[in-house]
Amino acid sequence: MRNWLVLLCPCAVGVALHLWLLLSCPGGPGRHPAGPLAFFPQWKLRHYDIVVGVLSARHNHELRSVIRNTWFKHLKQHPALSQRVLVKFIIGAHGCAVPVEDREDPYSCKLLNISNPVLNQEIEAFSLPEDIPSVLSEDRIVSVNFRVLYPIVITSLGVFYEAVSVGFQRNITVKLYQAEHESFEGTIVWESQDPQGLVSRNLHKVTVNDGGGVFRVITAGEGSLPHEFTEGVEGIAGGFIYTVQEGDALLKSLHTRPERFASHIKNLEKEDALLKEESSTHDDIVFVDVVDTYRNVPAKLLNFYRWTIESTSFDLLLKTDDDCYIDLEAVFNRIMQKKLDRPNMWWGNFRLNWAVDRTGKWQELEYPSPAYPAFACGSGYVISKDIVQWLASNSERLKTYQGEDVSMGIWMAAVGPKRYQDSLWLCEKTCESGMLSSPQYSPQELRELWRVKEQCGDPCRCEER
């Protein structure tokens, strides 16, 4: 018996040492799928009925503070729910290094790359190679889409004509369509009114004179034109002449750019320090490895899905935004009433046949169809763990689109989950008795909603007594 003990003691010491090394590795449990939780899944942290992911921008400190002092605080103090829900704010680990004034648009982190602007003169937008003769094509409609990166004035529109002809006697119209909303975009369409086609050029074989970077032609490689403009070939059948507006202001902006960048980097360092302190104080932030901009929100969400699978144990996941009112107690009651704690489940308020925007904040240049698949509006929705697992395991291959809500709809079109429609996940900023969520509130409005809710039981009104 003593001999067996002699043999077993070194083994026991080795096992104990191995476990100590696993548990004391840098980063701690849950930081990496190959960590101790992967070897011993039964040692995972506390199991949660629901993980709540709150998408939040880095600078939205006040909104996060309001949430911590309203519905999140109520949850922590709730005797039945406090141990069943995990709430995390989802924040991009990196701020955009480009100042807002120097970006192509406020929704991305792309530098407005204007250099040596051509000022105080008219510019022909397209130059034709001299060695390529004009050819009459069969296309009767040709269009080109372009984005204006700095204000320009288009002074004239024109068409190409056959070199063998004398004069120009055909009926052709040229139209300029300015994009709607706040976007600086437009489309030029050339249309032949005669049976003959247009004299056109392949867009890739034409020199674009962008005035130093004040506008950019959007080719099929970068996106797709609106459906009504897609007839004909990817090319041009003429051109336009323009001038750069407010040239002095542009030169001043370019001259002061280095100072803005230096100041912006200092502000980013301060923001990083504030976020580090906030995270250390509250321990409720998940930093995901993306630059924190609106265009990167779908990537933020996919990274969070991966984090939940690697770091927690749960049944359902609720996604919302930091400007939304949420009633988690009502969410739990609804789950129990409708028996929504089941696999392959997606519960929300769904938009059907939603038209794809080609301009503005919700501009979509990657999804070619005129309408999106069904998607849940962004104030909140709930999905089952198996769907989160599928999204997490495919996160490196899933293409992201202009917004996380429509991206989710496109991804889910491949999965085919069981959708549970519920209008109490409100899509617009309004207040309804019994609502589960409502979006787009300021910090002050969220405080007031919750104050009325706690005082009267209904965030929308107090009955006279």
Side-chain angles (χ1 to χ4, degrees), residues 110-152:
K110 192 168 184 178
L111 175 67
L112 178 59
N113 191 21
I114 297 178
S115 59
N116 300 318
V118 180
L119 305 178
N120 305 317
Q121 67 182 70
E122 291 191 325
I123 308 166
E124 279 196 68
F126 306 115
S127 299
L128 298 176
E130 295 181 358
D131 57 341
I132 300 178
S134 298
V135 177
L136 184 66
S137 69
E138 296 180 355
D139 301 291
R140 297 186 61 191
I141 299 178
V142 175
S143 62
V144 64
N145 202 29
F146 61 94
R147 172 177 293 180
V148 178
L149 305 176
Y150 189 83
I152 64 174

Side-chain angles (χ1 to χ4, degrees), residues 22 301 342 346 434:
L22 283 172
L301 193 60
R342 61 183 70 180
W346 189 13

Side-chain angles (χ1 to χ4, degrees), residues 81-254:
L81 300 181
S82 60
Q83 302 300 310
R84 299 170 65 184
V85 183
L86 176 68
V87 178
K88 292 289 184 180
F89 294 99
I90 313 164
I91 298 177
H94 316 288
C96 176
V98 181
V100 174
E101 304 95 317
D102 297 285
R103 301 177 197 176
E104 283 196 2
D105 61 66
Y107 316 117
S108 68
C109 192
K110 192 168 184 178
L111 175 67
L112 178 59
N113 191 21
I114 297 178
S115 59
N116 300 318
V118 180
L119 305 178
N120 305 317
Q121 67 182 70
E122 291 191 325
I123 308 166
E124 279 196 68
F126 306 115
S127 299
L128 298 176
E130 295 181 358
D131 57 341
I132 300 178
S134 298
V135 177
L136 184 66
S137 69
E138 296 180 355
D139 301 291
R140 297 186 61 191
I141 299 178
V142 175
S143 62
V144 64
N145 202 29
F146 61 94
R147 172 177 293 180
V148 178
L149 305 176
Y150 189 83
I152 64 174
V153 176
I154 295 178
T155 57
S156 61
L157 301 172
V159 296
F160 302 148
Y161 62 92
E162 304 94 321
V164 296
S165 300
V166 178
F168 194 87
Q169 301 176 353
R170 296 170 57 221
N171 294 316
I172 295 176
T173 60
V174 188
K175 299 177 181 178
L176 173 64
Y177 293 87
Q178 185 174 356
E180 298 177 358
H181 311 301
E182 70 273 24
S183 177
F184 291 97
E185 298 187 15
T187 303
I188 295 178
V189 179
W190 297 271
E191 183 173 0
S192 173
Q193 305 300 317
D194 295 333
Q196 302 98 320
L198 294 163
V199 176
S200 60
R201 289 287 186 279
N202 186 309
L203 190 56
H204 299 289
K205 296 181 179 180
V206 172
T207 301
V208 178
N209 305 317
D210 63 7
V214 297
F215 84 97
R216 183 174 70 244
V217 174
I218 302 175
T219 66
E222 295 176 306
S224 55
L225 298 176
H227 176 72
E228 60 268 28
F229 298 146
T230 55
E231 299 181 56
V233 298
E234 181 198 324
I236 57 174
F240 62 91
I241 296 175
Y242 69 97
T243 59
V244 178
Q245 195 175 23
E246 301 176 357
D248 292 341
L250 175 57
L251 289 178
K252 182 179 179 181
S253 175
L254 294 176

